[in-house]
Amino acid sequence: MKVLVPVKRVVDYNVKVRVKSDQSGVDIANVKMSMNPFDEIAVEEATRLKEKNTVSEVVAVSCGVAQSQETLRTAMAIGADRGILVQTDAELQPLAVAKLLKALVDKEQPQLVILGKQAIDDDANQTGQMLAALLGWPQATFASKVEVNGDKVQVTREVDGGLETLSLSLPAIITTDLRLNEPRYVTLPNIMKAKKKPLENVTPEDLGVDVAPRLKTLKVAEPPARKAGIMVPDVATLVDKLKNEAKVV
C-alpha cells in the first residue's frame, strides 16, 4: 500500500512572528523555517505503518517555493521513501493546494493520504477536507489513533464530547491531531541517507492546475497590546474591581 504525505514549510513554532511594516503579510526574511508540526506527525505515522509492513511506500509531497526541498528532505530523513515538490512562487491557498494534491493522487494512485489537520501559519484546517471532497474519498479528521486492517482503516478521533471511532474503506484521507504520536528525533545518518533519496520537481502547469488566489488579503495586523495585570490583596478587592472598573459583574 502506498501512502501520500503532504508537508508544508512554515515559520518555526519557536519564532515570534512579526508583521511587515506595510501590513501586507508576515515577515519571513531571515526567519527560521521548518516543517509544520502536524505534518511531522503525519510523516511519523506513515513511517510507523511502513515499519509494521502495512505500508510499502511513503511519498512526501510539498507545494511551494524551492526551499521546500529542505522540508521534503526532513520528511525523508524521518522515513519517507521519496519526495515530490510542486514548485511555485505563487501564494497557495487551501483550495489550490487541494487541487494540486488531487492531481498528484491521480498520478501516484496512493491508497491513503495522511496530512496534518492544519498549518500553524494560516490555521485554515481546510486542505484535507477539500481534498476528500475533490476525490470523493471518505475522510477522518483530528485522528488520535490509526489502525489499518486490510482494505479498512479504523480511526479514533477527538471530538468535543470525547473520542469517536470511525471505520473507513480505503482509499481514504486522514488528518492528524497532536496526540496521534510523538515524531522521532532525526539522526545525522538518516539526514545523510535522505540526501540520496529521489526528489522530483514539477510545476502546477505540469499538473494542469490553476493556483491563482481566490481570496485577497487586505491587511495583516498584530493583535492589540494588552495591559499588564495587577495583584490584589483579597477577594473583596477583586470583586470590587470587576464590578466597578471592569464592569463585568
Side-chain angles (χ1 to χ4, degrees), residues 138 152-155 165-169:
K152 299 281 187 181
V153 57
Q154 190 166 293
V155 178
T165 302
L166 302 177
S167 180
L168 310 179
S169 298

Side-chain angles (χ1 to χ4, degrees), residues 114-247:
I114 306 178
L115 65 162
K117 69 172 185 177
Q118 65 194 72
I120 62 172
D121 52 1
D122 58 15
D123 279 330
N125 183 21
Q126 294 175 340
T127 305
Q129 293 88 328
M130 287 178 170
L131 178 59
L134 290 172
L135 289 169
W137 287 9
Q139 61 174 304
T141 55
F142 318 135
S144 59
K145 186 178 180 181
V146 175
E147 294 178 320
V148 178
N149 297 305
D151 62 346
K152 299 281 187 181
V153 57
Q154 190 166 293
V155 178
T156 302
R157 61 190 301 268
E158 299 184 356
V159 294
D160 291 341
L163 298 176
E164 178 182 63
T165 302
L166 302 177
S167 180
L168 310 179
S169 298
L170 294 176
I173 308 288
I174 296 174
T175 70
T176 62
D177 211 337
L178 279 175
R179 281 158 288 281
L180 178 58
N181 62 53
E182 185 175 340
R184 68 194 67 190
Y185 177 77
V186 179
T187 61
L188 182 58
N190 286 336
I191 293 173
M192 300 307 291
K193 289 176 184 176
K195 292 181 179 179
K196 298 180 181 179
K197 292 182 179 180
L199 198 160
E200 179 185 357
N201 271 54
V202 296
T203 64
E205 291 74 22
D206 295 335
L207 299 173
V209 177
D210 176 18
V211 295
R214 266 56 175 180
L215 303 174
K216 181 181 179 182
T217 302
L218 300 179
K219 184 175 73 170
V220 177
E222 293 187 11
R226 296 174 63 183
K227 294 181 180 179
I230 61 170
M231 298 288 290
V232 293
D234 50 45
V235 174
T237 307
L238 173 62
V239 172
D240 178 67
K241 287 186 176 294
L242 289 174
K243 188 174 183 179
N244 299 313
E245 292 184 21
K247 300 186 183 301

Side-chain angles (χ1 to χ4, degrees), residues 37-51:
F38 291 105
D39 296 341
E40 198 171 358
I41 292 169
V43 177
E44 173 67 25
E45 190 63 24
T47 301
R48 292 187 184 189
L49 290 173
K50 184 185 173 186
E51 290 170 347

Side-chain angles (χ1 to χ4, degrees), residues 71 82 86 88 93 118 178 180 199 204:
T71 308
R82 58 188 174 94
V86 183
T88 176
Q93 294 176 350
Q118 65 194 72
L178 279 175
L180 178 58
L199 198 160

Side-chain angles (χ1 to χ4, degrees), residues 65-93:
V65 295
Q67 292 90 329
S68 297
Q69 290 186 20
E70 302 167 10
T71 308
L72 286 171
R73 293 294 180 193
T74 301
M76 288 188 277
I78 294 173
D81 297 292
R82 58 188 174 94
I84 302 174
L85 172 61
V86 183
Q87 187 171 331
T88 176
D89 292 327
E91 176 195 352
L92 292 176
Q93 294 176 350

